[in-house]
């Protein structure tokens, strides 16, 4: 069994693909946390905990939900919006949840405005600019998500969650698979459930600074 | 038709950057008579680009993108060169090919699209520089024409390799001295429009981009003929103002000077017999449609 763990970076300039380090994808009903396969229920709890702990928890909806390709996509978009609203309700003062779109994959370097969008070819610009310390990808085509997650792991300390509609992402620190409206809403329920029980990193950062 | 497929999910509309909202609201996808006159009144399919100030290539890009008859169902194939700096900013599907491979890529793409979308019209347009079209990619360019592949090839002819510092290209004029070609070109400019005609292209035009209405007509004709009959080739003079020692505002005059009757970019057009017939039918249908619309407007 591999000793490699998918952890927040910065790992180094070109981090290895987690798959090449022996990390494999979860089966249906499972998820992975840091590359370790876990029951899906545990992953909901951990993802909710990470969101509530983060200073700037952010959802990055991709083209598969931003554009109303079909009814299902529009419903997922509504669920993403609901998750974001839940997050806003549940965080504590000082935390700043964000919802930043990835409208397409064109490499728009260097004209991207990191305040309003993220681009998979240089996601770090948006992460750094907004000081995002926990993010979730949803509705991003797998090949672009893999590229982006690896860049984020390589160059930032941001905790990455992937809500993947296919088989999941090894390169995220936490990955669900078979994403659906129900799963997105269930994550919202877990955030609500853990509201007030998780100490935001903001507060602990102040404590460690004072030490 | 196209706007129905390009919709932002209502729940996330407000977070979309304004470029995308504008594309959905006022771009001319699906507009039957789209053309260069839409520029300024509707969202263009090209965002900010990184070409040099005053570059005629940027004018060409704007006119071409405004004139494509079916942008939502068009895939453009580009190649290495200044054009590849623009494609990331273009709101039309596009593929960047290996230097010179563009016509081979487009051949496969066109065939695959016909299989994948048998009930939908899908246009393929190659847009590459003279190095990719005439030097490095000449084999692929010609073979696509020999095989009668149904797509348009557009060559942005700036008569040298511009973004690598000004090396000699096959389309450079004889005697021209460039920064990286100090001896001067020893041979004549390759007569690709004539080669295109002999290789089976049904519509061939050699011109500059100084007149937007002309560019519009040429692009529209070339795409429609390629769709129905066979390969078409358009060679557009888009001078590199930096490499020929001009200022930003002098690109347009350079094109005007080069399109005079005795000059190398005097307007030349070749239309094959089947293409002529097709264009005549198209014009008749267009006339009929406009008359019907006029009549309808009169009644209203």
């Amino acid at each position: 069994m591999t000793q490699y763990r998918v952890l927040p970076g910065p790992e180094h300039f070109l981090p290895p693909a987690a798959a090449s380090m022996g990390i494999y994808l979860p089966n249906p009903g499972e998820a992975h946390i840091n590359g370790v396969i876990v029951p899906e229920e545990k992953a909901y709890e951990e993802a909710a905990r990470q969101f509530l702990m983060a200073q700037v928890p952010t959802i990055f909806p991709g083209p598969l939900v931003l554009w109303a390709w079909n009814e299902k996509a529009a419903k997922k978009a509504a669920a993403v919006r609901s998750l974001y609203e839940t997050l806003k309700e549940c965080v504590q003062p000082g935390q700043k949840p964000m919802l930043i779109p990835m409208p397409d994959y064109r490499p728009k370097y260097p004209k991207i405005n990191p305040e309003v969008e993220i681009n998979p070819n240089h996601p770090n610009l948006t992460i750094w600019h907004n000081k995002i310390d926990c993010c979730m990808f949803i509705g991003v085509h797998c090949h672009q998500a893999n590229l982006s997650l690896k860049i984020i792991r390589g160059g930032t300390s941001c905790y990455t969650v992937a809500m993947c509609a296919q088989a999941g992402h090894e390169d995220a620190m936490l990955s669900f698979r078979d994403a659906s409206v129900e799963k997105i809403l269930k994550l919202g329920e877990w955030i609500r459930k853990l509201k007030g029980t998780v100490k935001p990193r903001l507060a602990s950062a102040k404590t460690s600074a004072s030490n | 038709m196209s706007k129905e497929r390009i919709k932002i999910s209502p729940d996330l509309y407000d977070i979309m950057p304004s470029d995308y909202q504008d594309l959905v609201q006022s771009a001319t996808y699906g507009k039957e008579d789209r053309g260069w006159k839409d520029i300024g009144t509707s969202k263009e399919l090209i965002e900010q680009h990184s070409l040099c100030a005053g570059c005629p290539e940027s004018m060409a890009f704007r006119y071409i993108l405004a004139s494509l008859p079916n942008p939502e169902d068009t895939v453009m194939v580009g190649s290495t060169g200044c054009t590849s700096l623009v494609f990331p900013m273009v709101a039309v599907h596009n593929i960047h090919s290996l230097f010179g491979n563009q016509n081979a890529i487009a051949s496969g793409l066109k065939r695959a699209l016909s299989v994948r979308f048998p009930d939908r019209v899908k246009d393929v347009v190659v847009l590459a520089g003279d190095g990719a079209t005439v030097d490095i990619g000449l084999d692929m360019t010609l073979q696509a024409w020999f095989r009668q592949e149904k797509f348009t090839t557009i060559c942005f002819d700036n008569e040298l390799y511009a973004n690598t510092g000004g090396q000699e290209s096959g389309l450079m004029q004889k005697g021209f001295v460039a920064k990286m070609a100090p001896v001067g070109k020893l041979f004549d400019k390759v007569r690709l429009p004539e080669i295109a005609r002999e290789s089976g292209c049904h519509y061939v035009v050699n011109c500059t981009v100084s007149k937007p209405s002309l560019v519009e007509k040429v692009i529209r004709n070339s795409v429609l003929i390629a769709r129905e009959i066979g390969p078409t080739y358009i060679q557009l003079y888009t001078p590199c103002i930096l490499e020929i020692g001009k200022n930003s505002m002098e690109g347009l005059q350079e094109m005007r000077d080069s399109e005079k009757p005795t000059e190398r970019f005097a307007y030349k057009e070749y239309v094959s017999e089947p293409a002529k017939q097709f264009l005549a039918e198209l014009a008749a249908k267009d006339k009929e449609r406009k008359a019907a619309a006029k009549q309808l407007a009169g009644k209203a």
Side-chain angles (χ1 to χ4, degrees):
Chain A
M1 194 179 159
T2 179
Q3 296 302 307
Y4 186 80
R5 290 289 171 262
V6 191
L7 300 170
E11 192 161 331
H12 51 76
F13 183 57
L14 289 171
S20 73
M21 302 303 287
I23 303 298
Y24 56 91
L25 293 170
N27 286 318
E30 295 175 337
H32 87 74
I33 301 175
N34 302 131
V36 179
I37 304 295
V38 296
E40 205 169 56
E41 214 59 29
K42 193 172 176 191
Y44 282 118
E45 185 180 348
E46 180 61 16
R49 190 183 306 283
Q50 289 292 340
F51 267 138
L52 291 171
M53 212 159 52
Q55 196 171 342
V56 187
T58 303
I59 303 170
F60 291 134
L64 290 169
V65 294
L66 285 170
W67 297 94
W69 305 107
N70 49 41
E71 209 181 319
K72 197 174 161 190
K75 281 183 182 166
K76 272 191 185 173
V80 169
R81 171 62 79 169
S82 158
L83 176 63
Y84 173 62
E85 297 302 333
T86 306
L87 195 55
K88 279 204 295 187
E89 281 167 30
C90 297
V91 292
Q92 296 181 23
Q95 289 179 286
K96 188 189 167 197
M98 296 186 88
L99 182 59
I100 298 180
M102 185 189 285
D104 62 23
Y105 307 133
R106 296 179 289 170
K108 293 195 270 186
Y109 186 82
K111 77 170 270 278
I112 190 171
N113 180 352
E115 278 180 25
V116 298
E117 65 180 313
I118 180 167
N119 188 281
N121 306 288
H122 37 84
N124 290 4
L125 299 180
T126 300
I127 305 262
W128 287 327
H129 182 88
N130 299 295
K131 299 184 170 57
I132 294 167
D133 52 350
C134 177
C135 69
M136 183 174 92
F137 278 56
I138 179 158
V140 181
H141 286 87
C142 290
H143 52 291
Q144 297 290 353
N146 277 340
L147 166 77
S148 203
L149 289 165
K150 209 152 78 75
I151 295 173
I152 294 172
R153 200 168 92 245
T156 79
S157 58
C158 181
Y159 188 94
T160 53
V161 178
M163 181 63 90
C164 176
Q166 307 289 329
H169 289 283
E170 304 96 336
D171 284 302
M173 275 125 237
L174 187 156
S175 177
F176 295 95
R177 55 167 294 159
D178 307 317
S180 60
V181 169
E182 292 72 30
K183 288 193 180 188
I184 300 165
L185 296 177
K186 192 168 177 183
L187 179 57
E189 285 166 25
W190 266 99
I191 290 173
R192 208 168 264 132
K193 197 169 160 183
L194 296 187
K195 181 183 175 183
T197 66
V198 179
K199 194 176 175 187
R201 205 171 287 135
L202 183 65
S204 50
K206 272 183 187 165
T207 314
S208 65
S210 62
N211 289 340
Chain B
M1 100 185 160
S2 58
K3 285 280 175 72
E4 288 162 20
R5 297 211 304 271
I6 304 172
K7 279 184 196 161
I8 298 173
S9 293
D11 286 279
L12 299 176
Y13 188 89
D14 61 323
I15 62 162
M16 278 294 239
S18 55
D19 299 352
Y20 296 89
Q21 292 178 356
D22 291 347
L23 271 178
V24 172
Q25 281 167 7
S26 68
T28 52
Y29 294 116
K31 186 182 170 193
E32 202 167 2
D33 292 321
R34 64 192 306 277
W36 76 274
K37 285 180 182 163
D38 297 323
I39 292 175
T41 55
S42 61
K43 173 71 176 169
E44 288 184 57
L45 303 188
I46 180 170
E47 258 303 316
Q48 298 164 33
H49 56 77
S50 48
L51 294 176
C52 307
C55 175
E57 194 166 286
S58 63
M59 290 163 64
F61 250 107
R62 295 178 74 187
Y63 300 156
I64 289 170
L65 289 169
S67 310
L68 290 172
N70 190 25
E72 61 279 11
D73 277 312
T74 298
V75 185
M76 301 185 81
V77 182
S79 196
T80 308
C82 293
T83 56
S84 47
L85 301 173
V86 180
F87 274 116
M89 314 300 175
V90 164
V92 173
H93 287 295
N94 60 80
I95 295 175
H96 179 75
S97 69
L98 197 62
F99 206 170
N101 270 1
Q102 62 281 350
N103 280 45
I105 301 277
S107 301
L109 179 66
K110 178 70 186 181
R111 292 177 189 201
L113 289 172
S114 319
V115 174
R116 174 67 180 81
F117 301 100
D119 306 326
R120 205 185 290 170
V121 174
K122 289 276 183 183
D123 296 321
V124 173
V125 175
V126 166
L127 201 165
D130 49 308
T133 308
V134 182
D135 294 339
I136 297 163
L138 185 63
D139 181 11
M140 276 62 80
T141 305
L142 292 183
Q143 294 291 343
W145 294 342
F146 296 159
R147 291 193 305 267
Q148 291 287 293
E149 301 287 353
K150 289 185 166 180
F151 62 82
T152 300
T153 304
I154 301 172
C155 172
F156 276 3
D157 179 8
N158 58 14
E159 303 194 302
L160 41 65
Y161 288 81
N163 71 359
T164 48
Q167 291 82 6
E168 175 180 318
S169 95
L171 287 187
M172 183 186 270
Q173 51 183 312
K174 189 176 181 181
F176 191 83
V177 175
K179 286 179 195 158
M180 298 277 182
V183 177
K185 176 95 179 286
L186 298 175
F187 316 101
D188 281 326
K189 184 178 174 78
V190 173
R191 297 206 294 269
L192 196 62
E194 291 167 44
I195 296 172
R197 189 190 65 201
E198 295 303 319
S199 304
C201 284
H202 289 270
Y203 184 72
V204 180
V205 170
N206 179 54
C207 65
T208 77
V209 294
S210 69
K211 299 182 183 76
S213 50
L214 183 69
V215 177
E216 178 186 314
K217 185 196 91 176
V218 163
I219 295 301
R220 195 172 169 80
N221 284 350
S222 65
V223 173
L224 295 177
I225 291 171
R227 187 191 290 172
E228 300 295 332
I229 298 175
T232 55
Y233 174 63
I234 310 300
Q235 187 165 315
L236 299 172
Y237 182 42
T238 54
C240 176
I241 45 178
L242 296 185
E243 294 300 333
I244 61 173
K246 302 271 179 184
N247 290 322
S248 301
M249 67 294 276
E250 292 172 335
L252 185 59
Q253 193 55 48
E254 165 63 21
M255 291 191 284
R256 284 179 179 156
D257 292 342
S258 308
E259 66 191 3
K260 287 175 182 162
T262 53
E263 291 293 332
R264 62 199 187 287
F265 285 98
Y267 184 79
K268 280 182 213 141
E269 182 186 71
Y270 163 74
V271 192
S272 72
E273 282 308 318
K276 269 182 197 161
Q277 201 181 331
F278 171 73
L279 287 179
E281 285 167 12
L282 210 63
K285 272 185 203 165
D286 212 32
K287 202 173 168 187
E288 214 171 283
R289 186 174 56 83
K290 279 180 182 162
K294 203 173 174 185
Q295 209 172 4
L296 202 69
K299 275 182 191 171

